[in-house]
Amino acid sequence: MWIFGYGSLIWKVGFPYEERRVGFIDGWARRFWQDSTDHRGVPEAPGRVVTLVAEAGARTWGTAYRIAAPDRDRILERLDHRESGGYERHVVTVRDLDGPITDEALIYIGTAGNPNWGGPLPMDEIARVIARAEGPSGANIDYLMNLHASLTALDVQDEHVDELVELVRRLRYP
Ligand code: SIN
């Protein structure tokens, strides 16, 4: 069984896996449109984390993990808990530039209308939230910077993430 990560699951895996592949899914765009009240914010001051939004022509790069059958139930139980802030399981096809990796990767997506759906806001407003939010898993800015660093390490450029990094840096170091 495969699991595809496009956010914190890229740099903070937290489960054993047998193989890790860099790949992409088509038709989805990575967006900081999910409120976080349990990891990078609190209910009174939510942070912002990524989810995926269906968008024709979009491509989202991330990492696919192949997990061993005996580990499946334990890993899914842990992930269901970790991603419980509005994310739901979906199944996607993951490819790399050489072809398909798997037609059945499990992925966690917070779709529009979920309890933590933050939706689109002007980018400078999202940046302001990220610059100050903090939750049980740490500072929101660290989530953004870790995502940016892990994408850079994979040689992946994501304009939405890059723009937020730039805006947050300007807020913190004007
Ligand atoms: C993921 O990483 O695939 C889901 C979103 C997150 O936990 O950041």
Side-chain angles (χ1 to χ4, degrees):
M1 191 198 136
W2 289 82
I3 294 171
F4 183 76
Y6 59 90
S8 67
L9 288 175
I10 298 179
W11 78 87
K12 190 178 172 185
V13 190
F15 55 80
Y17 56 85
E18 303 205 308
E19 187 183 352
R20 176 182 185 264
R21 300 270 300 272
V22 179
F24 59 78
I25 57 173
D26 279 334
W28 294 95
R30 178 171 22 230
R31 295 285 178 261
F32 272 81
W33 288 5
Q34 183 75 354
D35 283 345
S36 178
T37 55
D38 56 350
H39 285 296
R40 301 291 173 163
V42 289
E44 316 76 71
R48 278 272 170 147
V49 291
V50 286
T51 184
L52 294 177
V53 182
E55 188 182 302
R59 173 168 288 181
T60 288
W61 284 86
T63 39
Y65 304 96
R66 186 166 55 78
I67 61 173
D71 294 337
R72 186 198 140 102
D73 290 350
R74 194 168 39 91
I75 290 175
L76 290 186
E77 196 184 320
R78 259 201 257 157
L79 282 179
D80 284 351
H81 176 70
R82 168 171 163 178
E83 306 291 336
S84 61
Y87 293 93
E88 278 176 352
R89 293 187 203 169
H90 294 255
V91 174
V92 289
T93 297
V94 184
R95 299 188 176 82
D96 65 12
L97 295 177
D98 295 326
I101 295 176
T102 170
D103 282 337
E104 285 193 11
L106 211 137
I107 188 173
Y108 286 84
I109 302 177
T111 51
N114 78 77
N116 282 344
W117 174 249
L121 277 181
M123 291 293 269
D124 55 341
E125 280 184 42
I126 297 179
R128 267 198 294 278
V129 169
I130 293 173
R132 56 173 180 242
E134 199 155 346
S137 298
N140 205 169
I141 195 169
D142 291 342
Y143 177 101
L144 171 66
M145 294 306 175
N146 285 336
L147 176 59
H148 183 246
S150 60
L151 291 176
T152 304
L154 301 180
D155 220 4
V156 171
Q157 216 190 340
D158 183 313
E159 283 176 14
H160 178 80
V161 176
D162 291 351
E163 187 180 345
L164 282 170
V165 166
E166 191 50 42
L167 289 167
V168 167
R169 279 195 180 131
R170 267 193 246 150
L171 284 170
R172 300 275 288 220
Y173 312 105

